[in-house]
Amino acid sequence: MIKSKPRPTFAPSTQIDMPKAKPIAKESSTEEKIKEAARKLFTQKGFAATRTRDIADEAGINLALLNYYFRSKQKLFDIIMMENFRQFIHGISFNFQDKTLSLEQKIEKVVSMYIDFLTANPDLPLFILTELRNNPDQLAASIEGEIGETRTELFAQLKVAHAAGYIGIEPSHLVANLFGLTVFPFVARPILQKVTGADDTQFNNLMQQRKELIPIWIKTMLQPPKPTK
Amino acid sequence: MIKSKPRPTFAPSTQIDMPKAKPIAKESSTEEKIKEAARKLFTQKGFAATRTRDIADEAGINLALLNYYFRSKQKLFDIIMMENFRQFIHGISFNFQDKTLSLEQKIEKVVSMYIDFLTANPDLPLFILTELRNNPDQLAASIEGEIGETRTELFAQLKVAHAAGYIGIEPSHLVANLFGLTVFPFVARPILQKVTGADDTQFNNLMQQRKELIPIWIKTMLQPPKPTK
DNA sequence: GTCTATAAAGTGATAGAC
DNA sequence: GTCTATCACTTTATAGAC
C-alpha cells in the first residue's frame, strides 16, 4: 500500500522535503528503496559522478520511477544530503547538551560514539566534507538549527575557562584536535593502511584503541600550564 | 616556439606522461596554460564535476586544443593527479630522509613545512583524499616509488623503539595523530570556521600557532609511560 | 598550432501505455 | 505505480579549414 503523490507542475525548488513519519515501519517501499540506493551511491561517489540510471539499477526499479517519486536528481540529492548531515552532527549535539556530564566525560562519550558511528559509516565524513565545500552556505542554517545554541554556549564557557587559566588550550584548537584525532583516520584510511601496512581488521582494532587513547591525549592538552617551580 | 606533438592513433591508455624538463623556463606555453587551468578546476571540483569546456575557457583557448595536446580528459586528469600527489608527499619524504635530524626535529620540520604548504594549497588535501578513494590501487605504486624505502625503514625503527619502551605510542597512532592534527583543520575548514566563528585571517593565525603547538602535543604523546612511583 | 563545425555518446527528464 | 520509448540537452572528442 503506497501513498499516491501528485506531481506539482511548478514545485518550489528551494523547498526540501523533510523525512516524514512512516505509517508502516517494516515495509521497504519503493520510495525507500530508491532513497537507500541513492544514499549509497551519492555517499560513495558524490553528486556529479553519480548517474540517475545507476541509482535506479541499484534500487531494482526503472529510471522513470525515480523522477516520479523525487522529481529530479537534485531534489533527491538534497534529501540525502540533509539526512546524512543531520546524522553526522546529531551525536555531537546530543552528548554536548547533557548538562550532567563534565567536559572530560562529554569528550569520552563523543569520541566513543563517533568511532562506532564512523566504523559503520566509513564513507560519510568524506562525503560531508566534499559536498559541504561545494555548498558553503546551504548548510550554515542546518548547523545552526541542529547545534546552534549548544555550540555558542559551550564555546563561550570554554573561552572563559581558558582565559581564567583553567584549561591550557584555546577552544578552537581543542575542537580541531578532537575531530582531527577522531575523524581524520577514517578520511585518510586508504593512505594510512598503505603507510602502516594494516589490514582491515587491524585498522578497526586501532580505531577501537583510540576510544581510550584520544580522551587521554585530549586531557593532557586540557591541563593548564604548570606553575614554574 | 612550441614543440610539435604527433597524435598516435592508438595511445596506450595506461601510460602516463611524466613531466618533462622544459627547455624554456619562463614562457607560459599553451600546453602549460591548459595544465594550470586543469589543475585549478580539477583540484577544486574533482574529475566528474569539471567540464573540459570550462578548462578551455579558463585557459583562454579553444576546446579542440585541449584534445590536441592531451588527447582526452582522462589523460589530462591523470597528469594533474600524479603531479599533485607527488607534491603532496614530497615534503614528507624529503624531511624524513634527513638522517641528521632526531625524530622530534623531523616532526617539527614536517609540521611547519606542511602548514605553509597547505595554507598555500588549501584544496589539495581534499582532492587527494577524494580521488585516492576512487582509485585505491592506482597510487599504491606511486607511494612506494616516492617514500617506500624511507617509510619501511622509519616505521621499523619506530616499532622497535615502542617495543623497547622508548616511546609511549604505537607508530600507527603516531602517524594518524601527526597528520590528523596537521591536515584535518584544512580539510574541515568550512565547518571549523563556522563552529569557532573564525574569519579567514583568524583561521590562518590559528594554523600558524599550530606550527609550535603540534610538536609539543606530539612530544607528550611520545613520552614513555612513567614508572609507577 | 589554432580555430569552427559537427559527430557520437551520455544523461536527466517526460510522455503515454498498461 | 510501474513500465518502455523517446525527447532535449550536455559533454567529450574529432574532422577539416586556415
Side-chain angles (χ1 to χ4, degrees), chain B residues 180-207:
Chain B
L181 291 172
T182 306
V183 178
F184 186 77
F186 292 92
V187 178
R189 177 170 179 160
I191 302 184
L192 284 179
Q193 290 203 24
K194 184 75 196 163
V195 171
T196 65
D199 61 24
D200 287 355
T201 309
Q202 290 171 320
F203 180 84
N204 284 331
N205 287 343
L206 285 168
M207 294 307 111

Side-chain angles (χ1 to χ4, degrees), chain B residues 50-53 67 72-73:
Chain B
T50 300
R51 309 283 98 113
T52 50
R53 273 175 175 76
N67 289 87
S72 79
K73 179 188 180 185

Side-chain angles (χ1 to χ4, degrees), chain A residues 10 14 30 33 50 84 91 96 98 112-113 118 125 136 174-175 180 214 224:
Chain A
F10 292 103
T14 54
T30 300
K33 277 193 294 188
T50 300
N84 275 357
F96 272 117
D98 186 339
S112 176
M113 187 269 316
L118 295 173
L174 175 62
V175 173
I214 292 173

